[in-house]
Amino acid sequence: MTAMTPGSNLPLPAPRVAVEVTAPTRLDVSGLLLGESGKVRSDADFVFYNQPEGAGVRHTSGAQDTITVDTQAVPAEIDKVVVTASLEGGAAFSGAEPTATLRDAGSQQVLATFTPPSLGAETALVIVELYRRNGAWKVRAVGQGYADGLAGIATDFGVEVEEPAAPGPAPAAPAQAPAPPAPQSGKVNLDKGKVSLTKNQTVSLVKGGAPLLTTVTMGLGWEPAFRPGKRGADIDLDASVIAFDAERQPIDACYFGKLMIFDGVVQHSGDNMTGEGAGDDEAITVHLGSVPQEVCGLVFTVNSFSGQKFTEVAKAYCRLLDSAGSEVVRFDLSRSEPRTGVLMAKMIRQFSGEWEMTALGEYVDGRSVSSMVKPASAAL
């Protein structure tokens, strides 16, 4: 059994699988059959409690709602089956984390679980998706939130939603509500050259169809925000990377006090105590092809060792450099918060062996690498 993290994927070892979704309170779970366009062919491809049968997809209710998918019966023109959930009454998911359990529908063996982290005002979620890849079926953990309930998800995927189908409040502004991109619409690769990420956007570290498994360097930089009466140059920020296993448990951390982990597979450039000067202030080099197999995720963080808030910092960014030293991915923080730590980015190893990088930009309270472990784990 595998505990999945957002963006991770696994092959389906069985042709019939069941996705059970549970939470502390009652959920409405549904499945949508999507074509190559990312839309349903018709409203018949929306499978839920009031329309429990679709082409190869079935909804059943009980102690928990379950979406069962017979991949051999799914029409060839369907590329993806998306499993969604919403809380009854249009409530937000904050404090009511749902968990998806993927089972072999025949033996009932648990294959994987996924609990989306860091939920807040979302009233509906795309939890997982089952999709075709090179003639085989795989499952991907998604965790994409929507602010306007199941109606927002259905509308986004091409279902004509009438009022009775919306379990939450009437969508006052459906065109504006799903501010994040639809699942996978924000994912890009390196084929078009340098990529500039926005918060929560993901880039697949693949170029020309081949995963980037050479040496990469994560450069992190910042500038003091000089203000009257304040000496921004005294700000001591520290960059670090924390390695996690498939259960989101920390394995090791590389930072100014431990410049090398995994026998040099991950290396830190050393401490910069001011942030002054051009270029990256601190850099962390990762030999991707040699990262131990037990490492499933890397979270890059910056914390204020001297205790000043990030409102005292300007132009914080992270950027990924390839083995030739060329910048391939960049993420600039567009705002600051009066807190002492920030989760800059995460890198997740896929089942296929490739890595994906997601921009985070999540501010937390933490002045040392040890205080960043818990929020970093929650961000995976």
Side-chain angles (χ1 to χ4, degrees):
M1 191 272 289
T2 300
M4 302 183 76
T5 57
S8 62
N9 64 71
L10 295 168
L12 293 184
R16 290 183 66 248
V17 294
V19 181
E20 303 171 353
V21 186
T22 58
T25 56
R26 181 66 185 175
L27 292 173
D28 288 324
V29 178
S30 61
L32 295 102
L33 291 81
L34 309 179
E36 185 178 356
S37 66
K39 305 287 186 179
V40 298
R41 298 169 300 177
S42 71
D43 289 359
D45 286 338
F46 184 27
V47 180
F48 64 113
Y49 63 91
N50 217 23
Q51 184 170 268
E53 295 285 346
V57 180
R58 173 180 293 183
H59 175 283
T60 54
S61 299
Q64 64 278 321
D65 281 6
T66 302
I67 298 294
T68 301
V69 180
D70 183 350
T71 58
Q72 295 177 332
V74 175
E77 62 268 27
I78 296 299
D79 285 354
K80 184 184 301 182
V81 178
V82 169
V83 178
T84 74
S86 59
L87 290 167
E88 290 187 344
F93 274 101
S94 178
E97 287 188 342
T99 295
T101 301
L102 180 73
R103 297 180 183 271
D104 181 326
S107 67
Q108 294 300 301
Q109 177 187 0
V110 175
L111 305 174
T113 62
F114 173 53
T115 302
S118 306
L119 299 180
E122 300 92 340
T123 57
L125 296 169
V126 172
I127 299 184
V128 299
E129 61 182 18
L130 312 179
Y131 63 100
R132 298 183 196 265
R133 180 63 58 86
N134 298 326
W137 282 85
K138 304 179 75 173
V139 59
R140 177 182 287 115
V142 181
Q144 169 74 41
Y146 283 72
D148 54 351
L150 185 57
I153 291 179
T155 300
D156 209 36
F157 290 126
V159 177
E160 293 186 9
V161 178
E162 297 181 2
E163 195 168 326
Q176 303 296 331
Q184 302 313 307
S185 64
K187 188 174 294 184
V188 294
N189 60 30
L190 301 177
D191 286 339
K192 294 185 178 180
K194 177 181 170 181
V195 176
S196 293
L197 294 179
T198 57
K199 184 175 179 178
N200 295 323
Q201 192 177 25
T202 297
V203 58
S204 183
L205 301 184
V206 171
K207 192 170 186 178
L212 188 68
L213 294 177
T214 56
T215 299
V216 297
T217 298
M218 181 71 77
L220 299 109
W222 53 84
E223 295 294 337
F226 289 103
R227 296 179 181 178
K230 296 187 177 182
R231 286 184 51 81
D234 293 334
I235 297 175
D236 180 11
L237 299 187
D238 295 319
S240 62
V241 60
I242 307 168
F244 294 88
D245 65 16
E247 303 293 332
R248 301 183 188 176
Q249 295 300 309
I251 298 175
D252 209 341
C254 187
Y255 63 110
F256 73 91
K258 192 175 186 180
L259 298 179
M260 183 184 302
I261 60 174
F262 306 133
D263 295 325
V265 172
V266 180
Q267 300 176 1
H268 193 289
S269 63
D271 194 15
N272 181 322
M273 302 181 66
T274 66
E276 292 186 305
D280 301 332
D281 293 299
E282 295 184 11
I284 298 170
T285 299
V286 182
H287 303 284
L288 287 178
S290 301
V291 174
Q293 284 302 309
E294 66 267 25
V295 177
C296 294
L298 300 168
V299 180
F300 295 84
T301 74
V302 179
N303 59 270
S304 175
F305 186 79
S306 49
Q308 288 96 334
K309 311 296 185 183
F310 269 85
T311 45
E312 301 290 328
V313 178
K315 301 177 182 177
Y317 69 88
C318 67
R319 62 181 189 139
L320 195 68
L321 310 176
D322 63 17
S323 57
S326 299
E327 182 177 310
V328 292
V329 183
R330 187 180 184 93
F331 170 51
D332 290 286
L333 282 178
S334 59
R335 59 183 179 85
S336 61
E337 292 183 10
R339 308 187 78 171
T340 54
V342 61
L343 309 175
M344 292 295 296
K346 65 181 178 182
M347 291 175 61
I348 302 294
R349 192 207 301 264
Q350 305 301 301
F351 184 86
S352 60
E354 70 192 52
W355 290 82
E356 291 182 350
M357 174 181 163
T358 300
L360 294 175
E362 293 291 336
Y363 288 92
V364 297
D365 289 318
R367 295 177 56 180
S368 64
V369 66
S370 61
S371 64
M372 304 294 284
V373 172
K374 185 175 180 179
S377 174
L380 286 172

